[in-house]
Amino acid sequence: MAELTTTARPYARAAFELARAEGQLDLWAQALGLLAAVSGDDKIAGLIHSPTLTAAGKSDLLKGLCGDALGIKQQNFVQTLADNKRLGLLPEVNRLFLAFKAEHDKTLDVEVFTAFEMSPEWQAKLASALSSKLECRVSLTTQLDKSLLGGALIRAGDTVIDGSVRGRLAKLAVAMHA
């Protein structure tokens, strides 16, 4: 996985920088999302990795499947990936592009796992508190997890805040056995 990320990062960065410079971040995000979805299909992935198709053939296949959703620059990007035998990286390029875009937009997707349903008022308060703490706009999604017993588990990017009863009991058990 780390190797895929390392290989995909320069392509994602190049696409991001071009899109940012042209003010087309949303357009590129949509195009890369479509390309990632199409190339992630098992049949298409098989064709992308097929040694019988040329780079131009693979590029034309993807561009044809995406139709008018790709502009000239996105089509050129696909051709560059095909020429360098990197079309299989499209899902990872898309993931990295979206991460660069979120960092640029100062937005963060936060997942909150709770044992009980959170009221909209509590969700708004939590989103506001996290926004000020993390200094970015927060998009909050909540999920029920009955195994938590109580409290909440919050995932914000690489940060995990475990305020669940289960997490606190585990910390207590570790402290008692130390």
Side-chain angles (χ1 to χ4, degrees), residues 49-66:
H49 296 294
S50 172
T52 58
L53 279 178
T54 65
K58 294 174 186 180
S59 173
D60 290 343
L61 172 71
L62 275 178
K63 290 187 279 189
L65 289 170
C66 293

Side-chain angles (χ1 to χ4, degrees), residues 1-2 5 20 33-34 36 38 44 47 53 66 79 86-87 90 95 107-108 113 130 153 158 174 178:
M1 181 66 173
T5 301
R20 185 178 56 80
L34 176 62
V38 169
I44 304 303
L47 290 171
L53 279 178
C66 293
Q79 186 62 54
R86 299 289 192 234
L87 286 174
L90 276 166
R95 187 188 70 75
T107 60
L108 185 62
F113 300 91
L130 287 170
L153 178 72
D158 292 337
V174 168

Side-chain angles (χ1 to χ4, degrees), residues 1-9 89 91-92 95-96:
M1 181 66 173
E3 185 177 320
L4 275 179
T5 301
T6 302
T7 308
R9 186 174 290 114
L89 294 176
E92 186 66 11
R95 187 188 70 75
L96 290 168

Side-chain angles (χ1 to χ4, degrees), residues 15-38:
F16 173 77
E17 292 299 333
L18 177 63
R20 185 178 56 80
E22 295 180 345
Q24 296 183 333
L25 286 172
D26 291 333
L27 178 75
W28 273 84
Q30 290 174 348
L32 288 173
L34 176 62
L35 285 164
V38 169

Side-chain angles (χ1 to χ4, degrees), residues 81-100:
L81 288 172
D83 291 342
N84 293 312
K85 297 180 172 69
R86 299 289 192 234
L87 286 174
L89 294 176
L90 276 166
E92 186 66 11
V93 167
N94 179 55
R95 187 188 70 75
L96 290 168
F97 182 91
L98 292 176
F100 294 147

